[in-house]
Amino acid sequence: MYYVYLVMMLKSVIPKLKERLKQHFIELTKIHTSPHSIAVGFALGTFIAILPIPGFHILLALLIVFIYENINKVALFAAFIVWNPFMLPFVYYLSFK
């Protein structure tokens, strides 16, 4: 019985969630920022992501976002997505060896 209720609930929630995500990505593509702002955001995100301070990356990034309003926040956090899961274990291993 619980399974049927869960399936029915998901069928009503998933289309709404898809539409919300679609609208969010459309809004992100319409952001008017300069290429310099995007590059600075990604560069700062890369710098913060490879610092050997596990656990404090997000806090440092939020601090920088609040201090510098003109950098691209999406690019900064996109650098975290690129660096953290794939490259960081190798960087940490080589830096502490």
Side-chain angles (χ1 to χ4, degrees), residues 30-50:
K30 291 182 180 181
I31 294 174
H32 299 291
T33 58
S34 68
H36 177 72
S37 173
I38 295 170
V40 168
F42 196 84
L44 280 173
T46 299
F47 175 73
I48 295 169
I50 62 173

Side-chain angles (χ1 to χ4, degrees), residues 26-81:
I26 289 172
E27 288 176 12
L28 282 178
T29 59
K30 291 182 180 181
I31 294 174
H32 299 291
T33 58
S34 68
H36 177 72
S37 173
I38 295 170
V40 168
F42 196 84
L44 280 173
T46 299
F47 175 73
I48 295 169
I50 62 173
L51 283 175
I53 51 170
F56 294 107
H57 295 117
I58 298 296
L59 295 175
L60 187 59
L62 289 174
L63 179 70
I64 287 178
V65 164
F66 286 125
I67 292 173
Y68 302 107
E69 291 99 16
N70 59 350
I71 65 170
N72 192 334
K73 289 120 182 110
V74 175
L76 188 134
F77 288 106
F80 283 156
I81 293 171

Side-chain angles (χ1 to χ4, degrees), residues 15-29:
K16 293 176 188 174
L17 183 63
K18 280 178 146 178
E19 185 61 32
R20 238 175 122 189
L21 284 173
K22 183 178 175 184
Q23 289 299 323
H24 182 69
F25 284 119
I26 289 172
E27 288 176 12
L28 282 178
T29 59

